Amino acid sequence: MQTVTTITDVRKRVAEAKATGHSIGFIPTMGALHEGHLALIRRARQECGFVAVSIFVNPTQFNEKRDLEVYPRPLEQDLLSSAEAGADLVFAPEVGEIYPAGFATQVVVDSPLTKAWEGYFRPGHFAGVTTVVAKLLHIAQCDRAYFGEKDWQQLAVVNQMVRDLSLPTVIVSCPTVREADGLAMSSRNARLSAESRKTAKVIPYLLDTAQDLLDSVTAETQTDKGPVIAAWLRTLLESNAPEAKLDYLVVVDPETLAEVDEITERALVIIAVHIGGVRLIDNRVIVRR
Ligand code: PAF
């Protein structure tokens, strides 16, 4: 595996791989790689001839300075795990390589998709994401790019951007990888104290309960209605983890992320909650059966 820091070097390696007939798989990351990222790299390894990973803590998608400052950057370890998972190339640029002096362009998905939920609680976040992802996809010239479903809204926004700009990359969405107790893998989990880590189990518990509520719907409970399920789950959160600070916990349409009332086929439960000062997000598709 080779590590490069310049756009020129990425383009050179990718052009060489294409010249020998390889398809290009790309995994954009902010580093602090965990099993969730490694699953994306392994999947790309199975599906593509050449696998490139970017490790770049993108400052423009952080709406809180402190969050950016404390974001973990274990580069050496990340390089080892990328190689082990099957990457051929890691692109680990400095900020100035991506945003040189005078950088002035933004790629913005201007729709309700970027205004709700993460967009509401993290102003400017999605503009930062789409600008850097558009730039990285151009740099990597990839056939397929891999994203985790844990950031479901991000995936929906990236898909919208790729459609709108007719980008030639296929976006591959990959299932969330979870710890043994169900907590979604996240670079932020490392910041949880032992006690908060225990409390965080409430998140997968709530998401599983959403499916149980839908399964056990009756005319009295009306738990085939998004707002009814969400209200139950909020009450459960309050009783199980009164110290948690909720940003949102709602039942939405998996494509538009607009709140749904009656669930006829499937819906998505999304949650963002602060536990012990760490903001965690997760989601789960629930199915009427
Ligand atoms: O999901 C992430 O880690 C980031 O948002 C991404 C896609 C690498 C863009 O910086």
Side-chain angles (χ1 to χ4, degrees), residues 13 27 39 56 79 86 107 127 149 155 158 175 184 215 226 231 234 239 249 251 256:
R13 287 291 288 118
I27 303 95
F56 178 62
L79 295 178
V107 178
E149 287 173 1
L155 192 50
V158 167
D215 285 341
R234 281 190 218 111
S239 51
L249 198 185
V251 181
T256 63

Short mmCIF file of all heavy atoms in Angstrom, two decimals, residues 13 27 39 56 79 86 107 127 149 155 158 175 184 215 226 231 234 239 249 251 256:
data_model
loop_
_atom_site.label_atom_id
_atom_site.label_comp_id
_atom_site.label_asym_id
_atom_site.label_seq_id
_atom_site.Cartn_x
_atom_site.Cartn_y
_atom_site.Cartn_z
N ARG A 13 -1.49 7.66 -9.64
CA ARG A 13 -1.68 6.25 -9.27
C ARG A 13 -2.99 5.70 -9.83
O ARG A 13 -3.07 4.58 -10.30
CB ARG A 13 -1.67 6.10 -7.73
CG ARG A 13 -0.34 6.25 -7.09
CD ARG A 13 0.59 5.09 -7.43
NE ARG A 13 0.19 3.85 -6.74
CZ ARG A 13 -0.17 2.73 -7.36
NH1 ARG A 13 -0.19 2.66 -8.67
NH2 ARG A 13 -0.50 1.65 -6.67
N ILE A 27 -13.00 5.02 -0.73
CA ILE A 27 -13.65 5.17 0.57
C ILE A 27 -13.16 6.47 1.20
O ILE A 27 -12.03 6.55 1.68
CB ILE A 27 -13.31 3.98 1.52
CG1 ILE A 27 -13.72 2.66 0.87
CG2 ILE A 27 -14.02 4.13 2.86
CD1 ILE A 27 -12.62 1.96 0.15
N ALA A 39 -15.02 -2.39 7.04
CA ALA A 39 -15.99 -3.16 6.24
C ALA A 39 -16.16 -2.51 4.86
O ALA A 39 -16.33 -3.21 3.86
CB ALA A 39 -17.33 -3.23 6.98
N PHE A 56 -8.99 12.41 5.80
CA PHE A 56 -8.92 13.87 5.85
C PHE A 56 -9.99 14.37 6.81
O PHE A 56 -11.19 14.19 6.57
CB PHE A 56 -9.15 14.45 4.44
CG PHE A 56 -9.15 15.95 4.41
CD1 PHE A 56 -8.01 16.67 4.77
CD2 PHE A 56 -10.28 16.66 4.03
CE1 PHE A 56 -8.00 18.06 4.75
CE2 PHE A 56 -10.28 18.05 4.01
CZ PHE A 56 -9.14 18.75 4.37
N LEU A 79 -3.19 3.80 8.88
CA LEU A 79 -2.48 3.31 7.69
C LEU A 79 -2.34 1.79 7.79
O LEU A 79 -2.56 1.07 6.81
CB LEU A 79 -1.11 3.98 7.55
CG LEU A 79 -1.16 5.50 7.29
CD1 LEU A 79 0.25 6.08 7.22
CD2 LEU A 79 -1.92 5.81 6.00
N GLY A 86 -7.04 -4.09 2.91
CA GLY A 86 -6.89 -4.31 1.46
C GLY A 86 -6.79 -3.06 0.61
O GLY A 86 -6.94 -3.14 -0.62
N VAL A 107 -20.23 23.35 -2.84
CA VAL A 107 -21.25 22.53 -3.49
C VAL A 107 -22.35 22.33 -2.45
O VAL A 107 -22.09 21.78 -1.37
CB VAL A 107 -20.68 21.17 -3.93
CG1 VAL A 107 -21.77 20.29 -4.55
CG2 VAL A 107 -19.52 21.37 -4.90
N ALA A 127 -23.05 21.38 3.71
CA ALA A 127 -22.32 22.10 2.65
C ALA A 127 -20.84 21.70 2.71
O ALA A 127 -20.19 21.50 1.69
CB ALA A 127 -22.48 23.61 2.84
N GLU A 149 -24.20 3.34 6.21
CA GLU A 149 -25.60 3.74 6.45
C GLU A 149 -25.81 4.38 7.81
O GLU A 149 -26.88 4.90 8.10
CB GLU A 149 -26.53 2.53 6.27
CG GLU A 149 -26.67 2.14 4.82
CD GLU A 149 -27.43 0.84 4.60
OE1 GLU A 149 -27.90 0.23 5.59
OE2 GLU A 149 -27.54 0.44 3.43
N LEU A 155 -25.72 10.04 3.46
CA LEU A 155 -25.81 9.19 2.28
C LEU A 155 -26.89 9.71 1.32
O LEU A 155 -26.68 9.78 0.10
CB LEU A 155 -26.14 7.77 2.76
CG LEU A 155 -26.03 6.60 1.83
CD1 LEU A 155 -24.71 6.57 1.11
CD2 LEU A 155 -26.21 5.31 2.64
N VAL A 158 -25.57 12.88 -0.32
CA VAL A 158 -24.53 12.58 -1.32
C VAL A 158 -25.18 11.99 -2.58
O VAL A 158 -24.84 12.35 -3.70
CB VAL A 158 -23.45 11.62 -0.73
CG1 VAL A 158 -22.56 11.04 -1.82
CG2 VAL A 158 -22.61 12.35 0.31
N PRO A 175 -24.23 -1.51 5.19
CA PRO A 175 -24.92 -1.57 6.48
C PRO A 175 -24.03 -1.12 7.65
O PRO A 175 -22.81 -1.32 7.61
CB PRO A 175 -25.26 -3.06 6.65
CG PRO A 175 -25.08 -3.68 5.32
CD PRO A 175 -24.17 -2.81 4.52
N ALA A 184 -23.78 1.41 17.50
CA ALA A 184 -23.16 1.59 16.17
C ALA A 184 -21.71 2.03 16.33
O ALA A 184 -21.40 2.86 17.19
CB ALA A 184 -23.95 2.65 15.40
N ASP A 215 -44.56 -3.95 15.24
CA ASP A 215 -45.03 -5.34 15.13
C ASP A 215 -46.29 -5.57 15.98
O ASP A 215 -47.12 -6.39 15.64
CB ASP A 215 -43.94 -6.31 15.62
CG ASP A 215 -42.82 -6.46 14.60
OD1 ASP A 215 -43.04 -6.14 13.42
OD2 ASP A 215 -41.72 -6.90 14.99
N GLY A 226 -45.90 7.12 12.93
CA GLY A 226 -44.57 7.62 13.28
C GLY A 226 -44.54 8.44 14.56
O GLY A 226 -43.76 8.15 15.48
N ALA A 231 -43.02 9.17 20.21
CA ALA A 231 -43.37 9.61 21.56
C ALA A 231 -43.07 8.50 22.58
O ALA A 231 -42.52 8.77 23.66
CB ALA A 231 -44.86 10.00 21.62
N ARG A 234 -39.32 8.39 23.10
CA ARG A 234 -38.80 9.51 23.89
C ARG A 234 -39.06 9.28 25.38
O ARG A 234 -38.20 9.56 26.22
CB ARG A 234 -39.44 10.83 23.44
CG ARG A 234 -38.80 11.35 22.18
CD ARG A 234 -39.28 12.77 21.87
NE ARG A 234 -39.43 12.92 20.44
CZ ARG A 234 -40.57 13.06 19.78
NH1 ARG A 234 -41.71 13.14 20.44
NH2 ARG A 234 -40.60 13.16 18.47
N SER A 239 -36.87 7.60 30.77
CA SER A 239 -36.85 6.74 31.96
C SER A 239 -35.57 5.92 32.04
O SER A 239 -35.07 5.65 33.13
CB SER A 239 -38.09 5.85 32.04
OG SER A 239 -38.26 5.19 30.83
N LEU A 249 -35.48 12.59 17.77
CA LEU A 249 -35.81 11.16 17.71
C LEU A 249 -37.14 11.12 16.98
O LEU A 249 -38.18 11.46 17.55
CB LEU A 249 -35.94 10.58 19.12
CG LEU A 249 -35.85 9.06 19.32
CD1 LEU A 249 -36.11 8.67 20.74
CD2 LEU A 249 -36.62 8.23 18.37
N VAL A 251 -39.56 9.54 13.33
CA VAL A 251 -39.77 8.49 12.33
C VAL A 251 -39.99 9.19 11.00
O VAL A 251 -40.88 10.05 10.87
CB VAL A 251 -40.99 7.62 12.71
CG1 VAL A 251 -41.18 6.51 11.68
CG2 VAL A 251 -40.80 7.01 14.10
N THR A 256 -36.81 10.75 1.66
CA THR A 256 -36.88 12.21 1.76
C THR A 256 -36.49 12.73 3.15
O THR A 256 -36.22 13.90 3.33
CB THR A 256 -38.31 12.70 1.49
OG1 THR A 256 -39.16 12.15 2.53
CG2 THR A 256 -38.81 12.25 0.13
#
